Amino acid sequence: MFLQRLRDTNPGLAAAALRLHREGLVRANTYLIDLDGTHANASIMAAEAAKHGLSLYVMAKQFGRNPDALRTIAAAGIDSAVCVDVQCMEAVRRSGVRIGHVGHLVQPHRGTEDAVIAATPEVVTAFDVEIAGRLAAAARRAGRVQDVLLRVRGPQDTYYFGHAGGFPLGTIEKAAAEVEALSGLRVRGVTNFPCMLADAATKTVKATRNFETVLEAAARLRTAGFEITQVNAPGTTSAGTFAEQARLGATHVEPGNGFHGTTPLHVLDPSQPEVPTIVYVSEVSHLDGEDAYVFAAGYYIDKVLGDYRLTALVGAHEEPLEVETADAGTIHYYCRIPGARSRGVRVGETVVFCFRPQVFVTRGRTQAVAGIRGGALDLREVYDGEARSADGVA
């Protein structure tokens, strides 16, 4: 989906990926991250957010919580992360980046509450009073008061499968009072997801009904006397969405794919300022008949705009070749390049993809490289999907 945009706006990353794999410095099944480009993207986003009075939390799951990328984004001025789950929190802590938000989208499971509080997050999201009670007990054990966001659900809100949950909008004042009454917690805001979604017809990103729920909940809680300092409105976020999110009333948003230029808006509107800064590097494993098979343990495309034709750069071939993938729900051992033998594709050749990734749900590794724009490449450490060192691991 983003391969042509990569070639148009950041060709140095494609060239570096091909070269580094060919020289044996980057292995197959690695997401290669351009640190210079990521810093530039983050700087654009930090400046745009400041212009609109928005606070940003980094969503790092898409790029595998890579510590070098996280620290690069922090150096650009966005130094606090949102953790999609407890594993993400642990990975971010290992990178040394500050924890901003825990518990959204995935709630802390039983037995993790003390670790969550010990991470000293700015806020933790709670979906119901029982979960809030466990967090409150952990906060009391730690001798501190933890600020929380209430996940609010309206009757007309829509969710991806498995994402639903939260306090009913109709009784949000009662719920907030119950949570606030728990010694150790303080209600400071509201959130929901997705608050923004791409609209292919208009080629824009629009607010959803979920966003309206968040805004209504915040207004009602303020009227009821609660000090609401955070209206968190995540979903399909990049510099091009900040003005609208701020205009509607958001105080905090949580960009992820925006940092490496692979949101739906970057497909719909080529004028968006962020460029692609992440590629998936693989290689041809073997040939079978006319087809080539490509290692794909880390392959996973977030198809927010539906199915599309997938292509990849292969070795020295000038033009991208079409690639076929397994159906959803199938283990991705390989992708397939049909008709590869007659095109001269050989075993061991480099294959470079550029799509919208979700590295944390794959068996892929990440590795960052600096210096693409200056010519002297500085290749960094290899990490697994939990941001643990994988240098020297086969």
Side-chain angles (χ1 to χ4, degrees):
M1 179 179 281
F2 293 95
L3 188 59
Q4 189 56 52
R5 183 171 172 85
L6 173 75
R7 299 179 84 192
D8 291 340
T9 62
N10 194 10
L13 174 56
L18 289 164
R19 171 189 154 190
L20 291 168
H21 178 266
R22 183 175 63 247
E23 294 177 356
L25 299 174
V26 169
R27 289 187 229 166
N29 195 39
T30 299
Y31 283 87
L32 186 66
I33 302 167
D34 168 14
L35 290 181
D36 300 343
T38 299
H39 186 278
N41 287 346
S43 298
I44 290 167
M45 295 167 75
E48 185 69 11
K51 185 164 69 174
H52 298 289
L54 283 176
S55 295
L56 304 183
Y57 294 136
V58 181
M59 178 62 85
K61 65 185 176 71
Q62 291 96 334
F63 56 84
R65 304 123 177 193
N66 179 277
D68 292 308
L70 272 166
R71 289 190 283 262
T72 293
I73 292 167
I78 308 169
D79 63 353
S80 186
V82 51
C83 303
V84 71
D85 53 24
V86 171
Q87 290 81 2
C88 192
M89 182 190 77
E90 293 167 346
V92 171
R93 289 192 78 184
R94 285 193 291 273
S95 76
V97 171
R98 189 161 61 94
I99 306 295
H101 180 193
V102 177
H104 197 227
L105 299 165
V106 181
Q107 290 280 270
H109 48 276
R110 287 189 302 115
T112 64
E113 298 87 3
D114 289 317
V116 169
I117 298 300
T120 63
E122 184 177 336
V123 292
V124 180
T125 286
F127 282 31
D128 60 37
V129 173
E130 181 179 349
I131 294 167
R134 298 202 306 263
L135 292 166
R140 291 194 298 271
R141 287 192 291 271
R144 62 185 296 257
V145 175
Q146 175 64 57
D147 288 347
V148 295
L149 306 183
L150 305 184
R151 195 354 157 72
V152 188
R153 180 175 185 176
Q156 296 179 326
D157 293 351
T158 57
Y159 299 93
Y160 298 113
F161 178 82
H163 286 206
F167 295 94
L169 176 61
T171 55
I172 193 60
E173 296 91 346
K174 178 176 180 290
E178 290 177 351
V179 173
E180 188 98 327
L182 296 168
S183 176
L185 299 186
R186 182 169 48 207
V187 175
R188 281 293 179 262
V190 288
T191 190
N192 202 350
F193 179 86
C195 291
M196 305 288 287
L197 282 178
D199 185 332
T202 62
K203 296 187 176 182
T204 60
V205 173
K206 292 182 175 181
T208 65
R209 183 64 183 81
N210 302 38
F211 202 152
E212 295 178 37
T213 293
V214 170
L215 297 172
E216 182 180 340
R220 287 170 52 174
L221 290 176
R222 285 170 175 150
T223 299
F226 292 91
E227 186 182 350
I228 299 302
T229 59
Q230 184 166 154
V231 179
N232 188 297
T236 317
T237 303
S238 61
T241 68
F242 292 165
E244 180 67 359
Q245 287 167 299
R247 183 189 71 79
L248 290 171
T251 64
H252 292 67
V253 294
E254 301 179 346
N257 288 90
F259 288 110
H260 40 81
T262 60
T263 80
L265 190 57
H266 294 90
V267 174
L268 300 172
D269 180 3
S271 71
Q272 291 303 303
E274 300 94 344
V275 303
T277 62
I278 188 168
V279 294
Y280 178 51
V281 182
S282 190
E283 70 181 64
V284 176
S285 164
H286 59 279
L287 299 176
D288 180 63
E290 281 297 309
D291 301 335
Y293 284 77
V294 178
F295 294 109
Y299 170 84
Y300 177 92
I301 295 182
D302 186 357
K303 296 184 178 181
V304 292
L305 291 176
D307 288 332
Y308 59 88
R309 177 171 167 261
L310 180 66
T311 59
L313 298 174
V314 181
H317 293 264
E318 183 71 21
E319 293 302 317
L321 300 183
E322 189 158 349
V323 182
E324 296 175 344
T325 63
D327 294 334
T330 305
I331 297 172
H332 288 291
Y333 294 112
Y334 299 101
C335 295
R336 181 172 62 198
I337 303 174
R341 188 184 297 274
S342 62
R343 294 171 179 262
V345 173
R346 301 186 306 277
V347 170
E349 282 196 285
T350 308
V351 182
V352 177
F353 299 86
C354 188
F355 47 70
R356 175 180 167 88
Q358 292 282 359
V359 180
F360 82 116
V361 298
T362 78
R363 308 183 307 284
R365 294 170 178 162
T366 65
Q367 190 170 13
V369 59
I372 284 177
R373 284 154 180 74
L377 299 183
D378 176 13
L379 191 60
R380 305 295 175 84
E381 190 171 353
V382 182
Y383 294 93
D384 66 16
E386 300 296 333
R388 295 186 179 92
S389 176
D391 267 353
V393 178

